[in-house]
Amino acid sequence: MELLQTEFSFTLPKGYVDEAGTLHKQGTMRLATAADEITPLRDSRVQQNPAYLTVILLSRVVTALGGLGMITPRVIEELYTSDFAYLQDLYNRINQNGSNAVHAQCPKCEQRFELELEPPGE
């Protein structure tokens, strides 16, 4: 019986700095549900600016970030762009592939394999 991995650990490239100046880099993201993608469409911020959907979506699926008690849209808004892009890529990989791996091919022998991505600095 194969187990479904529903949560994935990550390390942000730069990290989130809270109001006290504490850096938060390690976190966890869970697989998204249909509700995670549908419910934010009712949010007035998303209706006014569809690009805000990603902010709401990430705030729903990032379940932990350092010592923060709650991941709010405000936390996601305040991420550095490289961290925001990292989380978007992670979201796409785990929800499309079911893993944090990319498909690769050896340039010499052309053998195909999956490569599990390690967060920067790991």
Side-chain angles (χ1 to χ4, degrees):
M1 182 168 137
E2 186 176 331
L3 294 177
L4 176 63
Q5 182 178 1
T6 60
E7 291 194 338
F8 298 84
S9 298
F10 64 81
T11 301
L12 293 176
K14 290 191 171 39
Y16 171 74
V17 180
D18 66 19
E19 293 176 0
T22 304
L23 180 65
H24 305 271
K25 292 185 80 168
Q26 279 74 36
T28 305
M29 180 183 290
R30 66 169 172 78
L31 289 177
T33 64
D36 290 322
E37 296 197 354
I38 294 169
T39 302
L41 296 174
R42 297 184 201 128
D43 189 295
S44 62
R45 295 169 292 186
V46 174
Q47 292 173 350
Q48 293 173 358
N49 179 3
Y52 203 76
L53 174 63
T54 305
V55 172
I56 303 277
L57 191 55
L58 289 176
S59 72
R60 292 174 62 101
V61 297
V62 174
T63 58
L65 181 57
L68 297 175
M70 179 182 283
I71 310 305
T72 64
R74 179 78 176 196
V75 169
I76 302 299
E77 285 176 359
E78 294 177 348
L79 291 173
Y80 292 107
T81 56
S82 59
D83 291 336
F84 186 71
Y86 174 82
L87 289 177
Q88 287 180 297
D89 288 345
L90 177 62
Y91 178 89
N92 288 330
R93 278 194 307 276
I94 67 173
N95 285 290
Q96 291 174 4
N97 304 334
S99 71
N100 189 19
V102 294
H103 300 281
Q105 182 175 8
C106 174
K108 291 185 179 179
C109 69
E110 298 185 356
Q111 181 177 356
R112 295 179 183 272
F113 58 95
E114 282 192 356
L115 179 64
E116 190 76 25
L117 295 180
E118 293 290 330
E122 290 282 310

